[in-house]
Amino acid sequence: MIEASYNFAYLDEQTKRMIRRAILKAIAIPGYQVPFASREMPMPYGWGTGGVQVTASILGPDDTLKVIDQGSDDTTNAISIRKFFAKTAGVATTTSTPAASVIQTRHRIPETTLHEGQVLVYQVPIPEPLRFLEPRETETRRMHALAEYGLMHVKLYEDIAKFGHIATSYAYPVKVAGRYVMDPSPTPKFDNPKMNDCAALQLFGAGREKRIYAIPPYTQVVSLDFEDHPFTRYRQNAPCALCGAEDSYLDEIVTDDRGGRMFVCSDTDYCEGRRAQGHTGTESAPMEAADA
Amino acid sequence: MYVAVKGGERAIDNAHRLLADTRRGDRAVPELTLDQISEQLALGVDRVMSEGSLYDRELAALAIKQARGDLIEAIFLVRAFRATLPRFGASEPVDTGAMAIQRRISSTFKDIPGGQILGPTFDYTHRLLDPQLAGSCDPAEPASAEASDAPTPRVTDILRQDGLIEDSPVAADDAPVGDLTREPLNFPADRDLRLQNLARADEGFLLALGYSTQRGYGRNHPFAGEIRFGEVDVYFEAEDAGFAVPLGSIALTECQMVNQFKGSATEAPRFTRGYGLAFGQSERKAMSMALVDRALRASELGEDVKAPAQDEEFVMSHSDNVQATGFVEHLKLPHYVDFQSELGLLRKLRADFEQAAPQMQEAAE
């Protein structure tokens, strides 16, 4: 039997080179989906194999890695991926957003503003923003090539005609550097403005669909809208029950079976940081006692 | 109160411990050995090798044991291991015409040069549960005879001599070997990549698609020209040696479908081909693959593309069970954040509706 021994950060160097080439091309053409020969990873498709391959290819021994899922460092899949790299690459890991050099994420962008030199790696299920309007790859590639995005605008217009506003709450399409319409991955549209003019490099990996795309630092990212129906962020109308934040995206926690609800920061690092600074919310007292 | 997302780490560790324990089952029952799986669940091993794209009985048996008999999970384990292996190059094309045959049948000719050989097959068994197998059993020695050295040319080669069937396309010697595990797939894909995709494809998916062509969704009138199973030698052209060196032999099942095809003003009518190939004895897979391969050649052969089995993008994008099971099962992962956005949107839409309702009522009246 062959003893399993794996390279630094799991992938072999040949594969990493191939992925790095795709990443470089993606950075050179912001928002363009670069096909790459995605590998089977030891976690299932849909669990973040694209993000994991991108992270594996850019990680160096001196990096500090943070992994979040739903904004939290403590969700099971984030733990599993963080452990995977701690084991296969032996890199330092952190839950602190400013302390991380590479942050892999599923479904959120951290609340803390990212800084230069950081890389945010998104896990992407369906990289094609036009996919649900046109199922065929041959068609959507042609539409991107011709920058023919009328179909998307018609969809958004139909939303307005039907509902009075654009009824897309997450994976809200953006236009990158004035050229490619891009899927931001299923982040809530609350996070879209953070992508614009961001100091960090943003990389997107879709493993099953075999696509990598990128937003270089300080690139213009515009959420699609109309002059008379501008893009609006959505946020629950409540402060965080633990840290009182009025500016963070919130998770709704069902507290009982009688309609009891509580809203708390989805970004656990942000919330903990605020509590450490002494911010409180309506439910924070017992929490602080538990933390101490 | 706020415990919903804490404690994940311990939960995972404990779940893994429990899984390992459940996998082992009752400790009073002897543990399965890899030899037992490889010898007695051989067709499962064959399937895992085929769809896992790795010819290694021992690793496939290990994967089946580790996956508790879940073959798709076992295929996934093998694929994940395979993805880490270095790639030296491509072997010479195997010559299935020179196969050391264990089974060979044709449904198009009663007798063929080299003869029909039933071999180990369920085909003509009565499917009656055999209570004897519940205990240990010691079956009779198989009948044997001297191995024949008569050549066993492929049935499709015999048909080709008379020009009754289209030629098999032959690749130029220096043509690169496509590999969709190393190069991203683009549509339209060439037939080599289609066949690679089908060889890795889920047996059940191909079975259903192949079946659909027989029931009229892209019908192409198939005959099982030949199905053969046996061992073939694998050669590798080593640059240093300057000649092809034998690497060993592998067991393969090959299916050549013979399909109808109307001629045109410029071409005499002749049969067309569908091709299936799988590791080990995997007849259902090889036959289904051949049906779907032929269906996917519809546009090449000037047929209307109307049925799912003829739709290259549809078939190739959904045939891989590791991809499919991953994406279906990822719905188990948390989606709190997206769901929260949807809740917010839904509440807003409902509020808008409530507000508009009286006016709508008036408008209707």
Side-chain angles (χ1 to χ4, degrees), chain A residues 119-130:
Chain A
V119 185
L120 183 61
V121 179
Y122 296 74
Q123 302 173 197
V124 181
I126 305 276
E128 178 50 71
L130 306 169

Side-chain angles (χ1 to χ4, degrees), chain A residues 1 6 10 35-37 39-47 70 74 76 79 83 106-108 125 136-138 163 165 167 169-170 186 188 208 210 234 236 242 249-250 252-253 255 264 266 272 283, chain B residues 1-2 5-6 8-9 12-13 34 58-59 62 76 79-81 83-84 181-184 187 200 311 313 322-323 326-327 329-330 333-338 340-345 347-349 352:
Chain A
M1 182 82 54
Y6 296 106
Y10 186 76
F36 81 111
R39 302 290 195 253
E40 272 94 1
M41 297 302 286
M43 56 280 286
Y45 289 111
W47 264 245
Q70 313 294 304
D74 281 310
T76 47
I79 293 169
K83 276 184 146 180
R106 177 169 174 263
H107 294 194
R108 276 309 310 275
R136 286 185 183 278
E137 182 69 13
T138 35
F163 304 115
H165 55 90
S169 61
Y170 63 94
R208 189 178 40 79
K210 302 179 171 58
Y234 165 79
Q236 300 81 349
L242 298 178
Y249 192 79
L250 300 174
E252 182 171 336
I253 310 283
T255 51
V264 296
S266 132
E272 278 161 21
E283 303 285 337
Chain B
M1 173 98 86
Y2 181 48
V5 297
K6 285 283 179 191
E9 186 146 4
I12 290 186
D13 290 343
L34 299 193
E58 196 181 1
L59 286 182
L62 172 63
F76 178 20
R79 289 263 195 98
F81 174 73
T84 67
T181 71
R182 299 282 140 162
E183 294 293 329
F187 296 114
R200 290 159 59 85
D311 185 329
E313 263 202 71
V322 179
Q323 290 173 9
F327 203 46
E329 294 194 53
H330 108 286
L333 290 181
H335 286 80
Y336 319 135
V337 166
D338 317 344
Q340 194 52 232
S341 302
E342 288 291 69
L343 267 184
L345 177 60
R347 282 171 181 151
K348 179 167 168 31
L349 290 175
D352 291 351

Side-chain angles (χ1 to χ4, degrees), chain A residues 42-44, chain B residues 19 23 48 63-64 66-80 321-322 325 329 332:
Chain A
M43 56 280 286
Chain B
L19 174 65
R23 176 192 299 128
V48 170
I64 290 171
Q66 189 177 333
R68 308 177 64 199
D70 178 340
L71 292 191
I72 291 182
E73 179 69 22
I75 289 160
F76 178 20
L77 287 167
V78 167
R79 289 263 195 98
N321 53 28
V322 179
T325 200
E329 294 194 53
K332 292 183 283 194

Side-chain angles (χ1 to χ4, degrees), chain B residues 153-220:
Chain B
R154 287 173 290 229
V155 168
T156 44
D157 290 347
I158 299 168
L159 283 171
R160 197 178 56 175
Q161 286 165 8
D162 299 330
L164 291 173
I165 193 165
E166 62 176 340
D167 287 340
S168 244
V170 178
D173 269 347
D174 55 351
V177 178
D179 182 352
L180 53 80
T181 71
R182 299 282 140 162
E183 294 293 329
L185 183 62
N186 284 314
F187 296 114
D190 288 337
R191 191 174 174 206
D192 57 341
L193 291 178
R194 289 209 307 256
L195 286 169
Q196 184 190 11
N197 177 282
L198 297 180
R200 290 159 59 85
D202 182 73
E203 178 175 308
F205 180 74
L206 291 190
L207 175 67
L209 281 177
Y211 175 50
S212 73
T213 68
Q214 291 180 284
R215 291 193 63 260
Y217 290 84
R219 189 144 184 246
N220 53 40

